[in-house]
Short mmCIF file of all heavy atoms in Angstrom, two decimals:
data_model
loop_
_atom_site.label_atom_id
_atom_site.label_comp_id
_atom_site.label_asym_id
_atom_site.label_seq_id
_atom_site.Cartn_x
_atom_site.Cartn_y
_atom_site.Cartn_z
N GLN P 43 1.87 14.12 12.22
CA GLN P 43 2.84 13.03 12.30
C GLN P 43 2.16 11.67 12.15
O GLN P 43 2.71 10.76 11.52
CB GLN P 43 3.60 13.10 13.62
CG GLN P 43 4.57 14.27 13.71
CD GLN P 43 5.30 14.33 15.04
OE1 GLN P 43 4.89 13.68 16.00
NE2 GLN P 43 6.36 15.10 15.10
N THR P 44 0.96 11.54 12.72
CA THR P 44 0.22 10.29 12.59
C THR P 44 -0.15 10.03 11.13
O THR P 44 0.01 8.91 10.62
CB THR P 44 -1.04 10.32 13.46
OG1 THR P 44 -0.67 10.50 14.82
CG2 THR P 44 -1.82 9.02 13.32
N LEU P 45 -0.64 11.08 10.45
CA LEU P 45 -0.99 10.93 9.04
C LEU P 45 0.23 10.61 8.19
O LEU P 45 0.18 9.77 7.29
CB LEU P 45 -1.67 12.21 8.54
CG LEU P 45 -3.07 12.50 9.09
CD1 LEU P 45 -3.57 13.86 8.61
CD2 LEU P 45 -4.04 11.41 8.67
N GLN P 46 1.34 11.29 8.47
CA GLN P 46 2.56 11.04 7.72
C GLN P 46 3.07 9.62 7.95
O GLN P 46 3.52 8.95 7.01
CB GLN P 46 3.64 12.06 8.09
CG GLN P 46 3.43 13.43 7.47
CD GLN P 46 4.63 14.33 7.70
OE1 GLN P 46 5.25 14.29 8.76
NE2 GLN P 46 4.96 15.13 6.71
N SER P 47 3.03 9.19 9.18
CA SER P 47 3.49 7.84 9.50
C SER P 47 2.63 6.79 8.80
O SER P 47 3.15 5.82 8.24
CB SER P 47 3.46 7.62 11.02
OG SER P 47 3.88 6.32 11.35
N THR P 48 1.32 6.99 8.81
CA THR P 48 0.42 6.07 8.12
C THR P 48 0.67 6.06 6.63
O THR P 48 0.73 5.00 6.00
CB THR P 48 -1.05 6.45 8.41
OG1 THR P 48 -1.28 6.43 9.82
CG2 THR P 48 -2.00 5.49 7.73
N ARG P 49 0.84 7.25 6.07
CA ARG P 49 1.09 7.34 4.63
C ARG P 49 2.42 6.70 4.26
O ARG P 49 2.52 5.98 3.25
CB ARG P 49 1.09 8.81 4.22
CG ARG P 49 1.30 9.03 2.74
CD ARG P 49 1.27 10.49 2.41
NE ARG P 49 1.53 10.75 1.03
CZ ARG P 49 1.68 11.96 0.52
NH1 ARG P 49 1.57 13.02 1.30
NH2 ARG P 49 1.93 12.12 -0.76
N LEU P 50 3.45 6.93 5.07
CA LEU P 50 4.76 6.34 4.80
C LEU P 50 4.69 4.82 4.88
O LEU P 50 5.25 4.11 4.03
CB LEU P 50 5.79 6.88 5.80
CG LEU P 50 7.21 6.32 5.67
CD1 LEU P 50 7.79 6.61 4.29
CD2 LEU P 50 8.11 6.91 6.75
N ASN P 51 3.99 4.30 5.88
CA ASN P 51 3.84 2.85 6.00
C ASN P 51 3.15 2.27 4.77
O ASN P 51 3.55 1.22 4.26
CB ASN P 51 3.05 2.50 7.26
CG ASN P 51 3.84 2.72 8.52
OD1 ASN P 51 5.06 2.78 8.50
ND2 ASN P 51 3.14 2.87 9.63
N GLN P 52 2.11 2.95 4.28
CA GLN P 52 1.39 2.46 3.11
C GLN P 52 2.28 2.48 1.87
O GLN P 52 2.29 1.53 1.08
CB GLN P 52 0.14 3.30 2.88
CG GLN P 52 -0.94 3.12 3.94
CD GLN P 52 -2.10 4.05 3.75
OE1 GLN P 52 -2.02 5.07 3.05
NE2 GLN P 52 -3.22 3.73 4.38
N GLU P 53 3.03 3.57 1.69
CA GLU P 53 3.90 3.69 0.52
C GLU P 53 5.00 2.64 0.54
O GLU P 53 5.28 1.99 -0.47
CB GLU P 53 4.50 5.09 0.45
CG GLU P 53 3.51 6.21 0.20
CD GLU P 53 3.09 6.31 -1.25
OE1 GLU P 53 3.61 5.55 -2.09
OE2 GLU P 53 2.22 7.15 -1.56
N LEU P 54 5.64 2.46 1.70
CA LEU P 54 6.72 1.48 1.80
C LEU P 54 6.19 0.06 1.64
O LEU P 54 6.83 -0.78 0.99
CB LEU P 54 7.45 1.63 3.13
CG LEU P 54 8.36 2.85 3.29
CD1 LEU P 54 9.02 2.84 4.66
CD2 LEU P 54 9.43 2.88 2.20
N ARG P 55 5.03 -0.20 2.21
CA ARG P 55 4.46 -1.55 2.09
C ARG P 55 4.11 -1.86 0.64
O ARG P 55 4.36 -2.98 0.15
CB ARG P 55 3.22 -1.67 2.98
CG ARG P 55 2.68 -3.09 3.05
CD ARG P 55 1.55 -3.20 4.06
NE ARG P 55 2.03 -3.00 5.42
CZ ARG P 55 1.73 -1.94 6.17
NH1 ARG P 55 0.98 -0.97 5.67
NH2 ARG P 55 2.19 -1.83 7.39
N ALA P 56 3.56 -0.87 -0.07
CA ALA P 56 3.22 -1.08 -1.48
C ALA P 56 4.48 -1.32 -2.31
O ALA P 56 4.51 -2.21 -3.17
CB ALA P 56 2.45 0.13 -2.01
N THR P 57 5.53 -0.54 -2.05
CA THR P 57 6.78 -0.73 -2.79
C THR P 57 7.40 -2.08 -2.48
O THR P 57 7.87 -2.79 -3.38
CB THR P 57 7.77 0.40 -2.43
OG1 THR P 57 7.17 1.67 -2.72
CG2 THR P 57 9.05 0.27 -3.23
N LEU P 58 7.39 -2.46 -1.21
CA LEU P 58 7.98 -3.74 -0.81
C LEU P 58 7.20 -4.91 -1.42
O LEU P 58 7.80 -5.90 -1.87
CB LEU P 58 7.99 -3.84 0.71
CG LEU P 58 8.77 -4.99 1.32
CD1 LEU P 58 10.23 -4.97 0.88
CD2 LEU P 58 8.70 -4.92 2.84
N ASN P 59 5.89 -4.81 -1.46
CA ASN P 59 5.08 -5.87 -2.07
C ASN P 59 5.36 -5.98 -3.57
O ASN P 59 5.40 -7.09 -4.12
CB ASN P 59 3.59 -5.61 -1.84
CG ASN P 59 3.17 -5.88 -0.42
OD1 ASN P 59 3.82 -6.64 0.30
ND2 ASN P 59 2.07 -5.27 0.01
N LEU P 60 5.57 -4.84 -4.21
CA LEU P 60 5.88 -4.84 -5.64
C LEU P 60 7.20 -5.56 -5.90
O LEU P 60 7.32 -6.38 -6.81
CB LEU P 60 5.93 -3.41 -6.16
CG LEU P 60 6.03 -3.22 -7.67
CD1 LEU P 60 4.80 -3.82 -8.36
CD2 LEU P 60 6.16 -1.74 -8.02
N VAL P 61 8.20 -5.26 -5.07
CA VAL P 61 9.51 -5.91 -5.21
C VAL P 61 9.38 -7.41 -4.94
O VAL P 61 9.90 -8.25 -5.69
CB VAL P 61 10.52 -5.27 -4.24
CG1 VAL P 61 11.81 -6.08 -4.21
CG2 VAL P 61 10.82 -3.84 -4.66
N ALA P 62 8.67 -7.77 -3.89
CA ALA P 62 8.53 -9.18 -3.52
C ALA P 62 7.81 -9.98 -4.60
O ALA P 62 8.22 -11.09 -4.95
CB ALA P 62 7.79 -9.30 -2.19
N ASN P 63 6.74 -9.40 -5.16
CA ASN P 63 6.00 -10.10 -6.20
C ASN P 63 6.84 -10.32 -7.45
O ASN P 63 6.73 -11.35 -8.11
CB ASN P 63 4.73 -9.32 -6.55
CG ASN P 63 3.69 -9.37 -5.45
OD1 ASN P 63 3.68 -10.29 -4.63
ND2 ASN P 63 2.82 -8.37 -5.40
N ASP P 64 7.69 -9.35 -7.77
CA ASP P 64 8.52 -9.51 -8.96
C ASP P 64 9.63 -10.53 -8.71
O ASP P 64 9.96 -11.32 -9.59
CB ASP P 64 9.13 -8.17 -9.38
CG ASP P 64 9.51 -8.16 -10.85
OD1 ASP P 64 8.60 -8.34 -11.68
OD2 ASP P 64 10.70 -7.99 -11.17
N LEU P 65 10.20 -10.51 -7.51
CA LEU P 65 11.24 -11.49 -7.19
C LEU P 65 10.69 -12.91 -7.20
O LEU P 65 11.40 -13.86 -7.53
CB LEU P 65 11.86 -11.18 -5.83
CG LEU P 65 12.91 -10.06 -5.79
CD1 LEU P 65 13.35 -9.80 -4.36
CD2 LEU P 65 14.11 -10.40 -6.66
N ARG P 66 9.43 -13.07 -6.83
CA ARG P 66 8.84 -14.41 -6.82
C ARG P 66 8.73 -14.98 -8.24
O ARG P 66 8.61 -16.20 -8.40
CB ARG P 66 7.46 -14.37 -6.17
CG ARG P 66 7.50 -14.16 -4.67
CD ARG P 66 6.14 -14.37 -4.04
NE ARG P 66 6.16 -14.01 -2.63
CZ ARG P 66 5.70 -12.88 -2.13
NH1 ARG P 66 5.17 -11.97 -2.95
NH2 ARG P 66 5.76 -12.63 -0.85
N ARG P 67 8.75 -14.12 -9.23
CA ARG P 67 8.68 -14.59 -10.61
C ARG P 67 10.05 -14.97 -11.16
O ARG P 67 10.15 -15.48 -12.27
CB ARG P 67 8.08 -13.50 -11.50
CG ARG P 67 6.63 -13.16 -11.19
CD ARG P 67 6.10 -12.16 -12.18
NE ARG P 67 6.13 -12.70 -13.54
CZ ARG P 67 5.88 -11.98 -14.62
NH1 ARG P 67 5.63 -10.70 -14.51
NH2 ARG P 67 5.92 -12.53 -15.82
N ALA P 68 11.08 -14.71 -10.41
CA ALA P 68 12.42 -15.06 -10.88
C ALA P 68 12.49 -16.55 -11.17
O ALA P 68 11.91 -17.36 -10.45
CB ALA P 68 13.46 -14.66 -9.84
N ARG P 69 13.23 -16.88 -12.24
CA ARG P 69 13.45 -18.25 -12.69
C ARG P 69 12.24 -18.88 -13.35
O ARG P 69 12.30 -20.01 -13.79
CB ARG P 69 13.90 -19.16 -11.53
CG ARG P 69 15.19 -18.75 -10.89
CD ARG P 69 15.48 -19.67 -9.73
NE ARG P 69 16.80 -19.36 -9.14
CZ ARG P 69 17.20 -19.82 -7.98
NH1 ARG P 69 16.40 -20.57 -7.27
NH2 ARG P 69 18.39 -19.52 -7.52
N SER P 70 11.11 -18.20 -13.38
CA SER P 70 9.94 -18.81 -14.00
C SER P 70 10.13 -18.85 -15.52
O SER P 70 10.85 -18.05 -16.10
CB SER P 70 8.67 -18.02 -13.67
OG SER P 70 8.72 -16.73 -14.23
N ILE P 71 9.49 -19.81 -16.16
CA ILE P 71 9.61 -19.97 -17.60
C ILE P 71 8.22 -20.13 -18.19
O ILE P 71 7.26 -20.49 -17.50
CB ILE P 71 10.48 -21.19 -17.95
CG1 ILE P 71 9.95 -22.44 -17.25
CG2 ILE P 71 11.92 -20.96 -17.57
CD1 ILE P 71 10.71 -23.71 -17.58
N ASN P 72 8.10 -19.83 -19.48
CA ASN P 72 6.80 -19.93 -20.13
C ASN P 72 6.29 -21.37 -20.16
O ASN P 72 5.11 -21.64 -19.96
CB ASN P 72 6.88 -19.39 -21.56
CG ASN P 72 7.07 -17.90 -21.59
OD1 ASN P 72 6.66 -17.21 -20.66
ND2 ASN P 72 7.70 -17.39 -22.62
N ASP P 73 7.19 -22.30 -20.41
CA ASP P 73 6.82 -23.70 -20.53
C ASP P 73 7.59 -24.50 -19.49
O ASP P 73 8.77 -24.79 -19.67
CB ASP P 73 7.13 -24.21 -21.94
CG ASP P 73 6.76 -25.68 -22.10
OD1 ASP P 73 6.08 -26.22 -21.21
OD2 ASP P 73 7.16 -26.28 -23.11
N PRO P 74 6.98 -24.87 -18.37
CA PRO P 74 7.71 -25.61 -17.33
C PRO P 74 8.29 -26.92 -17.83
O PRO P 74 9.29 -27.40 -17.33
CB PRO P 74 6.65 -25.85 -16.25
CG PRO P 74 5.62 -24.81 -16.49
CD PRO P 74 5.60 -24.59 -17.98
N LEU P 75 7.67 -27.53 -18.86
CA LEU P 75 8.17 -28.80 -19.36
C LEU P 75 9.52 -28.64 -20.05
O LEU P 75 10.29 -29.58 -20.15
CB LEU P 75 7.17 -29.42 -20.34
CG LEU P 75 5.82 -29.82 -19.74
CD1 LEU P 75 4.91 -30.40 -20.82
CD2 LEU P 75 6.02 -30.84 -18.62
N SER P 76 9.82 -27.42 -20.49
CA SER P 76 11.11 -27.21 -21.16
C SER P 76 12.27 -27.33 -20.18
O SER P 76 13.42 -27.45 -20.59
CB SER P 76 11.13 -25.84 -21.85
OG SER P 76 10.98 -24.81 -20.89
N ALA P 77 11.99 -27.29 -18.87
CA ALA P 77 13.06 -27.48 -17.90
C ALA P 77 13.66 -28.86 -18.00
O ALA P 77 14.81 -29.09 -17.63
CB ALA P 77 12.52 -27.24 -16.48
N ALA P 78 12.86 -29.82 -18.51
CA ALA P 78 13.38 -31.17 -18.66
C ALA P 78 14.31 -31.29 -19.86
O ALA P 78 15.10 -32.23 -19.95
CB ALA P 78 12.22 -32.15 -18.81
N VAL P 79 14.21 -30.33 -20.77
CA VAL P 79 15.04 -30.37 -21.98
C VAL P 79 16.45 -29.87 -21.69
O VAL P 79 17.43 -30.41 -22.18
CB VAL P 79 14.40 -29.53 -23.10
CG1 VAL P 79 15.28 -29.52 -24.33
CG2 VAL P 79 13.01 -30.06 -23.41
#
Side-chain angles (χ1 to χ4, degrees):
Q43 289 179 345
T44 301
L45 291 175
Q46 283 189 322
S47 179
T48 302
R49 182 179 177 186
L50 179 59
N51 288 340
Q52 291 175 342
E53 294 282 356
L54 287 180
R55 187 174 293 111
T57 303
L58 190 58
N59 287 337
L60 189 61
V61 171
N63 289 336
D64 203 61
L65 280 176
R66 288 190 187 101
R67 295 185 61 189
R69 298 177 176 167
S70 65
I71 54 178
N72 291 332
D73 179 12
L75 295 179
S76 61
V79 178

